[in-house]
Amino acid sequence: MSGANGRELLRLEGVSKVFAQRRGFSRTAGLRAVTDASFTLAGGEVLALVGESGSGKSTLGRTAIRVVEPTAGDIWLEGERITDLDRRQLRPLRRKMQMVFQDPYGSLNPRIRIGAAVAEGMRLHGLASARTLRDRVAQALEQVGLRPEIADRFPAALSGGQRQRVAIARALAVEPTVIVADEPTSALDVSVQAEIIDLLKALQSRQALSMLFISHDLRVVGDISDRVMVLYLGRIVESGPTGQVFRDPAHPYTRALLQAVPKHVGAAHGKRQLLKGELPNPVSPPSGCVFHPRCPFAIEACRSADMSHREVAPGQVTACIRDDLPAFDAQREDRT
Amino acid sequence: MTAQFASMIARRPALTMGMALALAIAVVALLPGLFAPQPPNAIDVGRALLPPSAEHWFGTDHVGRDVYARVVHGARVTLGIVAGSLALSALFGGVAGTIAGYLRGWSDLFSGQLVEVILSFPPIFLGVMITGIIGSNVANLMLALSIVYLPLFFRAARSAAMVESARPYVEAAQVLGAGEGRILFRHLLPNVLPAVLTQYIILFPLALQIQAALGFLGLGVQPPTPDWGASLQESKDYVLYASWTAIFPGLALVVSSLAVILIGRGLQSRT
């Protein structure tokens, strides 16, 4: 599945996003949602962004396609720098960068029929004439496994899974090159989740789509992605080929995430208390390595570490300064 | 079919009654000639201030005009003015409120403050002031009423638009490449509309009162055009010995208000 054409499609360099917070008239310290993120996404590649809620993965995904404005850093799409384009200049490029949202109940306008919702993008970008539009909509719906008759219905008449299929059809209808899927299954019933994942996988490989797949479900990530990026408090703490990272995680946070995955459904296991404490406040993140207050392997030097990436295996980088961690065992928790 | 209808009445009696009343009033207002063939402005001084009878159901007024005909023909004038000016208000207030709630920023601040200024005047005072300055005729009366109620539509639309703007379908439209105008009119406005319609129903009886009050003060519809508020004004000198001249136009106001209030109540207690 990896690298249908392998060419660089999307590149981010040193991208940060700080949400300004206002209290009355004074501006206080901003919320640092993403700090100094750099990565590339190749054609046909599925890159997963994982991390707990509040880690900035949604913000990074949105910033990458300029739905959220970056505070610093640069973004290139197909070699063109798109950091400074204004809204109007960006509009024609929207076609290439689409998104599937988490909540299929909120992401479809309740007062717009399915057919019109799917047609909207094609109409905006002049991809179909009025005459061919209906056929194109029918095609788009069939492509995601829906009957074309559904076009005349309103979203309220559809189930969550059907709505998410519509949302996918809407995104694919404009023939994008990059799709950001923001936890596309987390609002759905478990029985429907697998269907949507299979659909995304099938469409992705058939059309050689590049996808930024945001999720906190590591099993889904292992299933769908070629590479994975682990975020903690707005920082990329580790990235690399998914198989490699899951087999041999180099960052203590990645290890903790992997150990938190239940191995067998229904298997009894003791209370897991893998990480101490809670996610720190992103308004005033800890000094040095942002993970050090919760890290079971933290040493004195971590308090002032700069979190620059070092390569531990081909394609795998970590922000951890310790190269002497004990061998990883997914079954056992790490302790100090 | 009848069983269905009966169960609907049982389930939502207020709504059904309100709708039936409103429908009846609307039919009367639209086709007054059908219900009162006699001309509403025909003066017959010899038959002034006659009590209700088979010939004159609601009696006659101080110049011998048929009160029934004046009430029936006044429905179109009075209710038309209220409905029309509220529609104007809803249109401009609704669109402005939606824009302000979506764009926020300085335009929101500015329009919000402007609206606060209008709201700081009591409606009747504002109505008297506007018609007093620009003159009292039907067009000016409608303009005055629309200005009086614009702030309330603005507020309702603004708060609904703020809620809707935060919903993912707006972001989805942005991602698709929709411009601000398209997001406002195609995506937000249809979702803000229910809030505006609710406001319309709430404000209708209030606007009817103000319209009648302005008519009573002589600042509304000018004679001899039949208007409920103006009829009340004309009858004030005879109300002690020819009460029918005041009772029937007053009753028409009460029943019209009641119909709309019932609809509002019925919609509120949605199950």
Side-chain angles (χ1 to χ4, degrees), chain B residues 99-100 103-114 154 158:
Chain B
I99 293 174
L103 294 181
R104 309 299 302 274
W106 69 267
S107 61
D108 178 34
L109 259 169
F110 177 76
S111 49
Q113 293 308 311
L114 196 72
F154 176 89
R158 177 177 174 270

Side-chain angles (χ1 to χ4, degrees), chain A residues 62 67 87 91 94 97-99 101 103 105-112 116-117 120-121 123-125 170 174, chain B residues 102-103 164 167-180 182 186-194:
Chain A
R62 282 171 160 78
V67 176
R87 284 183 148 192
R91 225 170 273 157
R94 286 278 169 235
M97 311 177 283
Q98 281 302 304
M99 200 165 160
F101 295 86
D103 172 18
Y105 292 89
S107 69
L108 296 175
N109 191 325
R111 296 190 180 267
I112 293 181
E120 181 165 23
R123 206 178 274 160
L124 283 169
H125 297 285
R170 174 176 65 181
V174 294
Chain B
Y102 173 61
L103 294 181
E164 293 296 323
R167 303 202 32 207
Y169 69 80
V170 174
E171 194 182 21
Q174 283 163 351
V175 169
L176 273 181
E180 306 288 24
R182 190 175 171 81
R186 175 99 174 96
H187 289 276
L188 282 177
L189 221 50
N191 286 293
V192 168
L193 194 64

Side-chain angles (χ1 to χ4, degrees), chain A residues 116-166:
Chain A
V118 174
E120 181 165 23
M122 294 193 272
R123 206 178 274 160
L124 283 169
H125 297 285
L127 298 181
S129 64
R131 198 137 35 91
T132 55
L133 202 58
R134 240 195 116 75
D135 290 340
R136 293 287 300 271
V137 168
Q139 272 172 27
L141 289 173
E142 273 169 346
Q143 191 185 17
V144 296
L146 292 171
R147 284 175 295 109
E149 297 92 85
I150 222 167
D152 295 323
R153 304 227 187 120
F154 283 100
L158 271 57
S159 71
Q162 285 175 316
R163 287 180 199 215
Q164 199 59 297
R165 283 169 191 269
V166 171

